[in-house]
């Protein structure tokens, strides 16, 4: 029987393209698709796929948060995370979330298909092409490494901007801005703005001294 695949991706063309790619292979079958995090859990409950592909950046939320919810609800479900951002922290978050595979959207089509097939037979076994180099970089790195987006969030916090203000400035939805702030706090091992700014200065991550209060 063909592997039943569902696709969650907020970009219509990407979603249709992935669905079209999967449909070309007799051992795979598209059973559902959505561009919304809000609809994804219900879609999985209804369509009962063997594997679901999830984009990291969804219009209404964090794809890795969705992946964690799906893993908690459906332990046997294969989950393939797709991303247009090849950052190490995303890869490690995906690993910690318990997904089956982590694949850049720039990867060859065969790599995406291989990840789907892997997820169908080994849902709890993680695979990612760049895992070994990322582990080596984590071992060798002694300082906090922020993604460009996280660095921008830190700088905006230093300028005294609120989370809604950060969302507007970075053209993000408020929930995504909150996710970036929470991830930044986690990386810096802090719990509020003042601590984050102190840590940012200590690590040399701020472009200029912060003048904002907590």
């Amino acid at each position: 029987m063909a592997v039943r695949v569902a696709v969650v991706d907020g970009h219509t063309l990407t979603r249709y393209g992935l669905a079209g790619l999967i449909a070309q292979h007799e051992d795979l079958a598209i059973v559902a698709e959505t561009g919304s995090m809000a609809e994804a859990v219900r879609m999985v409950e209804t369509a009962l796929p063997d594997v679901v592909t999830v984009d990291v950046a969804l219009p209404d939320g964090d794809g890795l948060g969705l992946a964690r919810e799906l893993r908690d609800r459906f332990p046997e479900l294969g989950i393939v995370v797709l991303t247009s951002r090849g950052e190490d922290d995303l890869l490690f978050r995906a690993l910690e979330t318990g997904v089956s595979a982590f694949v850049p959207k720039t990867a060859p089509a065969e790599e995406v298909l291989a990840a789907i097939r892997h997820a169908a037979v080994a849902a709890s076994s993680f695979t990612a092409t760049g895992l070994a180099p990322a582990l080596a970089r984590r071992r060798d790195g002694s300082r906090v490494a922020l993604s460009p987006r996280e660095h921008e969030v830190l700088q905006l916090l230093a300028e005294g901007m609120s989370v809604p203000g950060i969302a507007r400035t970075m053209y993000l939805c408020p929930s995504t801005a909150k996710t970036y702030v929470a991830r930044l706090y986690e990386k810096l091992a802090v719990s509020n703005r003042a601590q984050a700014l102190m840590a940012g200065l200590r690590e040399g991550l701020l472009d200029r001294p912060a003048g904002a209060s907590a």
Side-chain angles (χ1 to χ4, degrees), residues 147-162:
S147 70
R149 291 291 241 177
E150 289 163 350
H151 188 272
E152 186 177 356
V153 167
L154 178 61
Q155 191 62 41
L156 293 174
L157 286 173
E159 293 170 8
M161 199 166 289
S162 65

Side-chain angles (χ1 to χ4, degrees), residues 96-169:
E96 292 162 3
T97 296
V99 305
S100 314
F102 180 86
V103 186
K105 287 187 174 181
T106 55
E110 284 306 316
E111 186 174 329
V112 176
L113 295 170
I116 292 171
R117 293 180 176 115
H118 162 85
V121 298
S124 61
S125 175
F126 182 75
T127 181
T129 301
L131 181 57
L135 286 170
R137 286 191 292 271
R138 170 176 274 193
R139 262 193 323 269
D140 297 340
S142 57
R143 297 183 59 179
V144 176
L146 300 183
S147 70
R149 291 291 241 177
E150 289 163 350
H151 188 272
E152 186 177 356
V153 167
L154 178 61
Q155 191 62 41
L156 293 174
L157 286 173
E159 293 170 8
M161 199 166 289
S162 65
V163 172
I166 290 172
R168 289 192 297 272
T169 300

Side-chain angles (χ1 to χ4, degrees), residues 17-69:
L18 182 56
L21 172 67
I22 292 169
Q24 294 174 19
H25 298 267
E26 293 183 358
D27 64 323
L28 305 174
I30 287 289
V31 295
E33 58 181 71
T34 182
S36 166
M37 178 173 172
E39 296 175 0
V41 174
R42 185 169 62 252
M43 178 192 72
V44 171
E45 289 175 338
T46 303
L48 300 177
D50 301 307
V51 177
V52 60
T53 68
V54 178
D55 186 13
V56 164
L58 295 170
D60 56 346
D62 177 22
L64 287 178
L66 169 62
R68 182 174 293 280
E69 182 177 358

Side-chain angles (χ1 to χ4, degrees), residues 175-206:
S175 63
T176 301
K178 286 182 181 179
T179 296
Y180 274 118
V181 172
R183 195 181 306 160
L184 175 67
Y185 286 2
E186 181 181 351
K187 279 193 173 184
L188 295 175
V190 301
S191 58
N192 59 48
R193 180 198 298 260
Q195 292 174 358
L197 300 187
M198 290 177 63
L201 288 170
R202 183 176 63 249
E203 296 287 339
L205 298 170
L206 285 171

